[in-house]
């Protein structure tokens, strides 16, 4: 995602342990925390707790309220996964234990009282905050109620054992109970303000966006401008036909929102009754689809051009800042570009005066999947003009490349990672093209690319720059290297005399985000940081308030 800065969402996503791990962990940790509290009170206070009391009290404090919450949130809140619910319970169980350790160091009854109630408020506020973000702000009333159940159980256990025997003035009981409710309501008000500010600027719900990303939902964004972008189609036919679709649309913005699943949708549909793959052209998130259903219009524009059996060998030029690989055939050209330090390019940087039916330009986008570049090349800058001069020079170089008989073989592997392998043979030169439906590439697939350079004259590795699943992006460290090896072997065996052709069509009118994307990103980035700062300040004020 790089230059758009919305990759903050990627850091919100991580793999949760299964319920087979979480529930036993909840039970085991309740025992560990109970005896940890016993040890802390033995060391730092004159209180001595018997083991039977520790087992009973520990179960009522560290186990029962959290088992209830783990199941209750899943049952009451719409489509809330049980694994999320129990993980939240595990987190709050730890939060309560930390406050218990702090409690063992309290020097007065008043301080001990404040620490206990701060623990209850923290658990309650954490539940409200997490449930609002992951479920949606529209459920805030239900969340306030359901979050109160766990807190009420903890308070009841507290009063059952010691709450009424501490000699605390009555007004402090009422003050502490009111503080729990006030804190939760205040968090809701902060988040409602965030929701209002984002919707007033972009007409997009921040919480619909966040909860949808966490759930991997497909959603349309009520943003954008009407456009009819080009969809280029490159076909390779060696008896079987491969169609490579290259829409001038960016696969984004995130998850199922807009066109985030565009590349996967195109690959799936092209392989329903044939063989095909997705190519990523140099463009930015301003070219994102607003409505995921508009992928159908992209597919309608995929064509079947006439091909030629003659092509040039692969021409390569490295200009320092950027390198190009290209092949010409029958007055047409396909060019691959790569710049290690650049993430995206405005569409006008290279193609502002180039006919799309004559030239297909593909961004290899093979940066590291976790540590990719964050730089974007803007149209009209000195850097853009310089890159355009390099591109024009390269096209002139290609014009002089002689043509020879063209042969090719290909294989597409569909799975968790869709893969393409294509082998081209021209005048004895063997070129391998490896594609993977990811946003950048992992180290193991880069190693495979390097290994194949011993076998082929040129090896080009590319990703589709998909934004289909931030869940995958957040956790992806390895690729299906074995499947890619099998695909390369199958493509090599499939090599036969072939034709290659290129054409371009425009889509029916659809919505692209254009400048609305910038408004969305700026609002989200500013308000995420503002929300975090506000919550920290709120908690600091809460500590002062309770003490």
């Amino acid at each position: 995602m790089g230059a758009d800065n919305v990759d903050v969402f990627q850091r919100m996503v991580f793999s949760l342990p299964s319920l087979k791990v979480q529930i036993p962990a909840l039970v085991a940790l309740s025992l560990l925390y109970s005896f940890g509290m016993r040890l802390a009170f033995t060391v730092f206070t004159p209180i001595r707790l018997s083991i039977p009391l520790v087992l009973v009290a520990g179960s009522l404090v560290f186990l029962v309220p959290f088992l209830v919450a783990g199941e209750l949130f899943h049952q009451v809140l719409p489509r809330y996964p049980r694994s999320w619910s129990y993980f939240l319970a595990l987190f709050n169980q730890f939060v309560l234990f930390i406050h218990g350790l702090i409690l063992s160091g309290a020097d007065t009854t008043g301080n001990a009282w404040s620490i206990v109630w701060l623990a209850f408020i923290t658990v309650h506020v954490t539940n409200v905050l997490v449930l609002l973000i992951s479920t949606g702000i529209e459920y805030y009333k239900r969340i306030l109620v359901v979050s109160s159940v766990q807190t009420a159980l903890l308070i009841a256990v507290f009063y059952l054992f010691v709450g009424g025997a501490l000699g605390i003035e009555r007004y402090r009981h009422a003050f502490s109970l009111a503080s729990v409710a006030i804190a939760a309501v205040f968090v809701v008000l902060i988040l409602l303000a965030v929701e209002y500010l984002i919707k007033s600027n972009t007409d997009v719900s921040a919480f619909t966006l966040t909860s949808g990303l966490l759930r991997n939902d497909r959603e349309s964004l009520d943003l954008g401008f009407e456009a009819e972008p080009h969809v280029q189609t490159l076909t390779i036919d060696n008896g079987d036909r491969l169609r490579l679709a290259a829409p001038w649309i960016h696969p984004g913005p995130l998850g199922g929102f807009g066109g985030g699943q565009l590349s996967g949708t195109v690959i799936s549909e092209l392989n329903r009754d044939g063989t095909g793959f997705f190519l990523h052209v140099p463009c930015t998130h301003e070219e994102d689809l607003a409505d995921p259903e508009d992928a159908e219009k992209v597919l309608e524009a995929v064509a079947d051009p006439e091909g030629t059996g003659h092509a040039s060998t692969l021409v390569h030029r490295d200009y320092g800042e950027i390198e190009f690989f290209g092949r010409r055939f029958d007055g047409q050209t396909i060019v691959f570009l790569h710049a290690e330090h650049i993430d995206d390019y405005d569409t006008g940087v290279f193609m502002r005066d180039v006919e799309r039916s004559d030239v297909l330009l593909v961004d290899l986008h093979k940066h590291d999947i976790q540590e990719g570049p964050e730089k974007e090349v803007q149209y009209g800058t000195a850097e853009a003009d310089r890159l355009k001069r390099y591109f024009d020079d390269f096209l002139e170089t290609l014009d002089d490349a002689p043509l020879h008989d063209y042969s090719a073989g290909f294989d597409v592997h569909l799975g968790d990672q869709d893969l393409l392998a294509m082998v081209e043979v021209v005048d004895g030169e063997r070129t391998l093209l490896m594609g993977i439906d990811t946003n950048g590439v992992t180290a193991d697939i880069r190693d495979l690319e390097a290994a194949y350079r011993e076998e082929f004259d040129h090896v080009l590795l590319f990703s589709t720059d998909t934004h289909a699943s931030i869940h995958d992006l957040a956790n992806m460290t390895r690729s299906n290297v074995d499947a890619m090896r099998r695909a390369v072997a199958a493509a090599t065996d499939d090599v036969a005399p072939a034709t290659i052709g290129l054409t371009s069509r425009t889509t029916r009118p659809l919505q692209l985000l254009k400048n609305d994307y910038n408004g969305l990103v700026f609002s989200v980035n500013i308000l995420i940081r503002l929300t975090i700062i506000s919550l920290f300040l709120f908690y600091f004020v809460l500590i002062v308030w309770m003490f």
Side-chain angles (χ1 to χ4, degrees), residues 426-441:
V426 178
D427 194 30
E429 179 190 78
R430 301 171 75 241
T431 300
L432 171 62
L433 181 66
M434 297 190 298
I436 183 167
D437 188 30
T438 55
N439 185 345
V441 296

Side-chain angles (χ1 to χ4, degrees), residues 80-356:
Y80 200 73
R82 185 177 271 111
S83 62
W84 293 13
S85 192
Y86 276 93
F87 187 79
L88 178 55
L90 278 166
F91 177 78
N92 276 328
Q93 190 187 41
F94 175 72
V95 168
L96 189 64
F97 173 62
I98 294 300
H99 281 82
L101 294 180
I102 296 172
L103 177 63
S104 68
D107 55 354
T108 67
T109 301
N111 282 342
W113 177 269
S114 297
I115 292 168
V116 168
W117 283 94
L118 183 63
F120 296 156
I121 293 173
T122 303
V123 169
H124 190 52
V125 166
T126 300
N127 281 332
V128 171
L129 179 63
V130 172
L131 294 175
L132 283 172
I133 290 173
S134 56
T135 303
I137 195 73
E138 65 270 24
Y139 299 108
Y140 74 91
K141 293 179 181 178
R142 188 184 304 186
I143 288 170
L144 283 173
V145 173
V146 77
S147 298
S148 300
V149 174
Q150 182 183 28
T151 311
L153 288 173
L154 289 169
I155 293 173
V157 172
F158 171 64
Y159 274 102
L160 176 65
F161 284 97
V162 294
L166 293 176
I168 300 295
E169 298 90 337
R170 288 184 179 180
Y171 83 90
R172 291 200 66 178
H173 291 265
F175 171 83
S176 299
L177 283 167
S179 296
V180 175
I182 291 170
V185 171
F186 197 77
V187 167
V188 172
L189 291 176
I190 290 176
L191 298 184
L192 283 171
V194 170
E195 175 80 342
Y196 171 77
L197 289 171
I198 287 190
K199 290 198 76 170
S200 65
N201 192 35
T202 66
D203 200 29
V204 172
S205 166
F207 293 92
T208 298
L209 181 67
T210 305
S211 62
L213 289 168
L214 293 171
R215 297 172 186 272
N216 215 19
D217 288 343
R218 287 173 61 85
E219 297 282 350
S220 176
L221 296 168
D222 189 20
L223 300 172
F225 302 84
E226 187 175 287
E228 298 178 9
H230 286 267
V231 178
Q232 293 178 277
T233 310
L234 181 75
T235 60
I236 313 293
D237 193 329
N238 66 356
D240 295 317
R241 174 163 288 205
L242 172 69
R243 290 189 296 175
L244 300 174
W248 280 83
I249 297 172
H250 190 279
L254 286 168
F257 283 83
Q261 297 178 357
L262 177 64
S263 62
T265 300
V266 168
I267 292 170
S268 176
E269 291 301 314
L270 289 179
N271 287 277
R272 188 175 298 277
D273 298 310
T275 306
F277 210 74
F278 183 94
L279 298 176
H280 171 58
V281 301
C283 57
T284 69
H285 280 280
E286 291 188 4
E287 313 308 315
D288 287 342
L289 286 177
D291 186 349
E293 298 303 319
D294 281 341
E296 182 63 32
K297 297 176 182 178
V298 174
L299 287 160
E300 290 173 1
V302 175
D304 289 295
E306 293 296 322
T308 175
H310 297 86
S312 73
T313 55
L314 195 71
V315 178
H316 173 228
R317 292 288 184 276
D318 189 343
Y319 293 90
E321 292 179 86
I322 194 168
E323 57 181 327
F324 297 100
F325 303 81
R327 189 188 305 280
R328 79 177 185 95
F329 49 91
D330 195 27
Q332 297 174 312
T333 301
I334 178 171
V335 178
F336 298 92
L337 68 85
H338 176 62
E340 192 66 32
H341 62 293
I342 300 173
D343 184 41
D344 286 328
Y345 310 80
D346 276 351
T347 54
V349 170
F350 297 104
M351 302 297 286
R352 56 183 178 265
D353 56 1
V354 177
E355 176 56 52
R356 285 174 170 80

Side-chain angles (χ1 to χ4, degrees), residues 469-485:
S469 174
I470 59 170
H471 295 254
D472 291 340
L473 292 175
N475 298 299
M476 187 177 295
T477 57
R478 299 188 64 80
S479 298
N480 194 341
V481 172
D482 291 338
M484 181 62 83
R485 286 197 183 98

